[in-house]
Amino acid sequence: MKATATQPEVLISEVGPRDGLQSVKAVMPTADKFVWIDALVAAGLREIEVCSFVPARLLPQMADAAEVVRHALTHPGVTVMALVPNLRGAEAALRAGVHKLTIPASASAAHMMANVRMTREQMIEQIRAIVRLRDEIAPGVKVEAGISTAFGCTIQGEVSDDDVVWMAGEAVAAGVDEAGLSDTTGMANPAQVRRLFNKVRAVIGEHTGAAHMHNTRGLGLANCLAAYDVGVRTFDSSLGGLGGCPYAPGASGNVVTEDLVFMFEAMGVRTGVDLEILIAARAPLKKGLPGEPVYGMTPEAGLPKGWVQPRWPA
Ligand code: ZN
């Protein structure tokens, strides 16, 4: 992407309404989700993962998925994304009118089985079926595979680079538009992030997708910067770092959107997101999830004296 005065150089893909809300026990009321999503859009976020299409008995937090998609679609210029673990979820998401699907495809065989009860080969078959359905009923919709546990797995431990590259290559061969790498378990380090994105890009080239980093061990931003350094330009993050990791009590989950935007804007890398309005979007999040911990160093510290944004003349 060529940088211009008006075009962001990186795409911040906000995953809080999906990754965040499905990781907390409390259910945010639908009306509060609407207000929160509106606030995220007002801040300039142009891609939002708004929900996942999974049975409500498994994830009551996502029971209103179709309704949330319908609401998000009222915002022109926003790419409305949903996570779908299988063909049934994909069909519901496509019928609801999403612009983009993301499918969690674990590099770790053990995690894949625990998460969606499929072997990796079965997941590749699901992806192929989802792509076929997309071609049939919603050809404009983008399909992304998020290669989860790409940097390590809490069940099987180490995940080999070869397994990650293999999964990304198979997903692209099965027809996805993009395959990104997810640090589902917060185990990544910057050297590993550079190495793996380079290896994956060598095989799938322009199909290389987002960096989805967690901040479980405090390396979320360092890992995003490492990914940026090797050419990644889409970053998943969550407002307030919502999505605490159950294996690391007190640690935040996803990279905090506010801190990520601060890092890039302070470096002179344009995100298209207004930091002040973004920080204001924490209010509806807190209101919809009373008592839930909300993270972020930048909102706590406040913006630096003399902070001006955007730094490019319009
Ligand atoms: Zn995540």
Side-chain angles (χ1 to χ4, degrees):
M1 201 190 298
K2 185 90 180 84
T4 67
T6 51
Q7 195 180 25
E9 295 161 85
V10 292
L11 175 66
I12 307 295
S13 184
E14 170 65 40
V15 301
R18 194 284 299 173
D19 198 331
L21 289 185
Q22 83 171 46
S23 313
V24 297
K25 271 210 184 72
V27 178
M28 186 187 276
T30 308
D32 289 321
K33 289 188 185 181
F34 291 0
V35 176
W36 184 31
I37 289 169
D38 295 350
L40 295 169
V41 173
L45 289 159
R46 286 298 170 263
E47 184 170 287
I48 306 180
E49 199 171 305
V50 297
C51 61
S52 52
F53 281 85
V54 287
R57 75 187 145 76
L58 297 179
L59 275 181
Q61 301 95 317
M62 296 290 133
D64 54 5
E67 235 181 303
V68 171
V69 166
R70 263 200 304 281
H71 178 80
L73 288 171
T74 62
H75 291 289
V78 173
T79 301
V80 177
M81 280 183 85
L83 181 138
V84 297
N86 52 35
L87 183 61
R88 171 179 282 202
E91 177 161 14
L94 292 171
R95 302 231 181 264
V98 300
H99 301 125
K100 191 167 170 183
L101 299 177
T102 183
I103 308 167
S106 300
S108 148
H111 182 265
M112 184 84 89
M113 191 52 77
N115 195 31
V116 291
R117 293 202 188 85
M118 280 186 233
T119 65
R120 291 179 303 171
E121 291 74 13
Q122 284 169 330
M123 177 51 89
I124 295 299
E125 271 319 303
Q126 281 291 301
I127 291 175
R128 224 183 293 280
I130 290 169
V131 169
R132 265 199 305 270
L133 181 72
R134 183 276 312 266
D135 293 346
E136 210 178 287
I137 67 172
V141 170
K142 291 261 175 296
V143 179
E144 170 194 77
I147 310 301
S148 33
T149 60
F151 302 93
C153 171
T154 41
I155 307 166
Q156 80 171 40
E158 201 183 319
V159 175
S160 78
D161 289 9
D162 287 351
D163 277 353
V164 177
V165 173
W166 177 82
M167 199 66 201
E170 289 294 306
V172 169
V176 301
D177 301 289
E178 288 170 15
L181 301 184
S182 299
D183 184 21
T184 318
T185 53
M187 291 163 84
N189 67 72
Q192 185 188 21
V193 169
R194 282 191 205 98
R195 185 181 77 231
L196 261 177
F197 267 104
N198 279 333
K199 282 189 179 183
V200 164
R201 180 172 285 108
V203 173
I204 66 170
E206 288 310 299
H207 297 289
T208 307
H212 178 109
M213 297 300 165
H214 279 214
N215 203 34
T216 317
R217 291 178 175 78
L219 296 188
L221 285 184
N223 289 331
C224 286
L225 188 57
Y228 177 81
D229 285 344
V230 294
V232 173
R233 291 296 178 266
T234 303
F235 299 87
D236 293 358
S237 61
S238 172
L239 195 85
L242 194 67
C245 176
Y247 304 105
S252 76
N254 290 289
V255 166
V256 175
T257 306
E258 300 90 310
D259 293 337
L260 184 65
V261 168
F262 175 71
M263 178 182 79
F264 280 130
E265 292 288 340
M267 288 169 62
V269 175
R270 189 159 179 178
T271 62
V273 179
D274 185 302
L275 201 44
E276 272 179 67
I277 305 175
L278 185 69
I279 289 171
R282 291 162 71 89
L285 164 59
K286 289 176 181 167
K287 184 187 168 284
L289 283 181
E292 198 63 45
V294 173
Y295 304 93
M297 312 292 268
T298 306
E300 293 294 330
L303 294 175
K305 189 177 162 112
W307 176 263
V308 179
Q309 208 199 334
R311 316 195 139 199
W312 279 265

